[in-house]
Amino acid sequence: MSPQVPPGRVVLLRHGETEWSRLGRHTGSTDVDLTAEGERQAAGQAARLSTWSFSLVATSPRVRARRTADLAGLVATPETGREVWDDLAEWDYGRYEGITTATIRETVPGWTVWTAPVPGGETAEQVGARADAVLGRLRPWLEHGDVALVGHGHMLRVLLGRWLGLPPRAGAYFVLAAGGLSVLGHEHEEPVVEALNLAA
């Protein structure tokens, strides 16, 4: 392995299903609990994750992400720290918080979070800047081993794109399922996606 390439990988875990995510409602800052299915999804990842040794676990500050981490067994231990990173929070949807894409399109035809304004919320570029901050913060930890991040669909899609060196809006081309697990690593010197949407 090239000396510039850290040995660790990044494991992304999207939080389990919530009532709002099930209905397609944009859920940014609102704290919504996991459904019973969401709890099952999160707990279902525990066996797979128990085979990993993480140098760090970081979660979004939202309850749904922290609860997912708990159920998946991503807890602080003497060997592994666990931190809450504000930059891992979901996209700020502004005035579209709690509203579905279908409802928004009744007044803004063709709207998507990737291509159109989000009144009172963040742009893709602003979310991309937060993703870059997360990647910058975790890279030193990769020298010591793997890192787990527990967060949200849109934010983690942007982060995945930025890992690959793509613009933030390229997150539109990846779908991360509720409770799904993805792995980022390197092949030679190139950043790659090793796994996407491993289900519980």
Side-chain angles (χ1 to χ4, degrees):
M1 180 175 290
S2 168
Q4 311 84 285
V5 177
R9 294 177 289 175
V10 181
V11 173
L12 306 179
L13 178 59
R14 184 185 170 192
H15 67 76
E17 179 193 79
T18 69
E19 187 67 15
W20 278 25
S21 70
R22 187 179 67 79
L23 297 173
R25 297 172 66 179
H26 288 91
T27 319
S29 59
T30 305
D31 259 332
V32 182
D33 291 330
L34 300 180
T35 61
E37 173 62 12
E39 293 195 348
R40 185 199 66 76
Q41 292 166 341
Q45 295 290 4
R48 177 183 285 120
L49 289 168
S50 70
T51 67
W52 293 69
S53 178
F54 294 105
S55 61
L56 174 73
V57 173
T59 77
S60 156
R62 302 293 171 249
V63 167
R64 57 194 181 276
R66 291 186 283 119
R67 177 67 174 150
T68 294
D70 291 343
L71 291 168
L74 294 172
V75 296
T77 69
E79 297 79 29
T80 303
R82 176 166 150 180
E83 301 179 2
V84 174
W85 291 359
D86 289 343
D87 280 332
L88 272 173
E90 180 59 298
W91 200 307
D92 181 348
Y93 299 116
R95 295 204 294 276
Y96 290 156
E97 179 79 4
I99 302 175
T100 66
T101 295
T103 299
I104 296 166
R105 286 181 169 184
E106 292 174 4
T107 53
V108 187
W111 182 90
T112 76
V113 73
W114 305 103
T115 59
V118 180
E122 288 180 295
T123 64
E125 290 69 29
Q126 288 171 318
V127 179
R130 289 199 287 113
D132 288 347
V134 168
L135 291 174
R137 189 171 177 181
L138 69 79
R139 286 189 198 281
W141 288 94
L142 295 178
E143 299 293 343
H144 308 288
D146 300 326
V147 170
L149 302 179
V150 186
H152 310 272
H154 279 142
M155 174 57 183
L156 292 180
R157 290 166 69 178
V158 172
L159 188 144
L160 192 157
R162 295 300 299 142
W163 174 264
L164 298 175
L166 301 173
R169 293 177 191 273
Y173 301 112
F174 307 100
V175 174
L176 298 181
L181 187 148
S182 302
V183 183
L184 310 180
H186 291 87
E187 184 178 55
H188 306 299
E189 294 79 28
E190 294 299 321
V192 297
V193 179
E194 295 187 9
L196 193 65
N197 279 324
L198 298 174

